[in-house]
Amino acid sequence: MMKKKFIKLFAILSVVFLGVLEMGWRFFNMVVCCKRGEHKKERKKWFELSHIRENHPQNGYAREYNESKAWCFEQKMQDCYIKSIDGLKLHALYLPAEDAKRIVILSHGYRGSRFGTLSFMAKYLHEHQCDVLFIEHRCCGDSEGKYITFGAKEQWDVQQWAVYVSERNKEKLPIYLYGQSMGAATVLMASGHTLPAEVKGLIADCGFQSMEGQMRDMAANWFHLHHIPLLLMELDWFCSLVAGFHMKDADTTEAIKKNTRPVLFFHGEKDTYVYPNNSFQNYMLCRAEKELVIIPGARHLCSAYADPELYQHKMMEFFEKYD
């Protein structure tokens, strides 16, 4: 009798364990694994939520978004390649400007593209004497990779792109690292590493503080799951076992404390994708010269669209101060 009860209990626990494991694997597959070349049925089911649609610049700024994106496709750009520290071939496109005064390296967001939400400011920067390098993060565009690591590995890629640009910067123009969303967090993480002397400053628009914090915010505010330590533990386990990184590696805290370069922070007041408190926390941790600009009414990735005059003025003021 006891043996039967034990077998039954063991079977129940096994089913529960496998169910929890399956949930962790699905979560890992949803947020970390590459989706290129796949039909988007599963991604739509899991991930195309109202928060994403509402925060995207196409919601309210479709004309500006599409026009600047089309402008980027019309430009003649130079293909650039580097090899990552873990052996991936990474791609970028370089667009020189006439009588350039500086070079801006553009770091796009999560599952983004070279000519996505950054296109609006890329066009402005190019028209104001900035060479621009559109990098494509691992697992995006023409760059190799199977996993998105939320900055854990991308930070080293950004560092290598900065070195790549510096080695070809014959005129020793000032270099700036400009990122949005995950790209902003990645730029901040990269600031903790050795960067070329020509890198004069960082621009971080709506960046998160850590992968773990972002996962907690999404779980709590999107799915109303407030107690997910087991799920996060599983996610971290799969990240380590399959993708080769830990969530703690995707964190801006220590890098920002080490950073000595000026930082210009932007964040939209109404951002419900990466909450503004992330930029407040990053700003407070930063020991270098810094400024935080909160754009009233702006959603995620929409600050440059919502108040272009203020956004562009702050950026040019930043360049002129630190060039």
Side-chain angles (χ1 to χ4, degrees), residues 34-228:
C34 215
K35 301 295 181 184
R36 289 185 297 195
E38 296 182 8
H39 295 294
K40 295 187 177 180
K41 289 182 181 178
E42 182 179 358
R43 187 176 168 196
K44 281 185 177 180
K45 181 180 177 181
W46 278 85
F47 214 61
E48 287 192 0
L49 304 172
S50 60
H51 292 276
I52 298 175
R53 293 192 302 271
E54 290 170 3
N55 279 278
H56 197 279
Q58 284 187 302
N59 176 25
Y61 309 103
R63 181 180 60 81
E64 297 92 330
Y65 174 84
N66 291 322
E67 285 179 357
S68 58
K69 189 173 181 178
W71 177 88
C72 287
F73 276 107
E74 291 169 358
Q75 307 309 304
K76 293 182 179 179
M77 303 189 191
Q78 174 188 345
D79 288 292
C80 305
Y81 296 92
I82 61 170
K83 187 75 79 172
S84 71
I85 57 174
D86 52 346
L88 299 177
K89 186 178 182 181
L90 304 178
H91 176 252
L93 285 168
Y94 186 69
L95 178 62
E98 189 174 345
D99 300 321
K101 291 184 177 180
R102 64 193 66 84
I103 305 170
V104 182
I105 298 175
L106 305 177
S107 172
H108 66 74
Y110 177 76
R111 297 196 191 279
S113 66
R114 59 199 181 206
F115 301 151
T117 57
L118 278 163
S119 296
F120 185 68
M121 281 307 298
K123 181 176 184 290
Y124 173 84
L125 291 169
H126 183 258
E127 291 171 347
H128 289 77
Q129 297 177 285
C130 298
D131 289 355
V132 289
L133 181 75
F134 297 83
I135 68 174
E136 292 187 314
H137 285 302
R138 54 180 59 212
C139 194
C140 297
D142 293 328
S143 290
E144 294 179 343
K146 295 181 179 179
Y147 308 106
I148 299 169
T149 73
F150 288 78
K153 294 186 178 182
E154 289 87 351
Q155 61 185 292
W156 296 100
D157 302 337
V158 167
Q159 182 204 34
Q160 286 190 276
W161 280 119
V163 171
Y164 175 94
V165 170
S166 175
E167 289 173 348
R168 291 156 180 79
N169 183 16
K170 305 301 182 186
E171 297 180 9
K172 299 298 179 184
L173 297 174
I175 299 171
Y176 292 87
L177 308 181
Y178 171 31
Q180 292 183 349
S181 195
M182 190 192 87
T186 298
V187 161
L188 294 174
M189 293 177 209
S191 73
H193 307 309
T194 302
L195 293 170
E198 299 99 304
V199 177
K200 301 299 182 182
L202 318 168
I203 302 159
D205 186 340
C206 58
F208 56 75
Q209 186 179 20
S210 70
M211 178 182 178
E212 181 176 347
Q214 184 62 14
M215 292 300 104
R216 288 184 184 277
D217 283 349
M218 287 168 58
N221 297 294
W222 295 18
F223 302 104
H224 306 289
L225 300 173
H226 298 279
H227 304 288
I228 59 166

Side-chain angles (χ1 to χ4, degrees), residues 224-288:
H224 306 289
L225 300 173
H226 298 279
H227 304 288
I228 59 166
L230 180 58
L231 185 59
L232 290 178
M233 185 174 69
E234 284 189 274
L235 176 60
D236 189 56
W237 185 72
F238 282 121
C239 286
S240 174
L241 184 67
V242 181
F245 75 101
H246 284 284
M247 283 199 294
K248 68 179 182 181
D249 301 326
D251 192 308
T252 64
T253 304
E254 295 306 316
I256 288 179
K257 289 179 180 178
K258 294 178 185 176
N259 172 54
T260 58
R261 289 172 171 81
V263 184
L264 175 60
F265 295 95
F266 287 105
H267 217 113
E269 178 198 17
K270 299 295 186 181
D271 192 338
T272 60
Y273 190 97
V274 176
Y275 288 87
N277 69 293
N278 284 272
S279 282
F280 280 110
Q281 291 169 356
N282 284 328
Y283 176 82
M284 293 303 294
L285 287 168
C286 183
R287 297 170 180 173

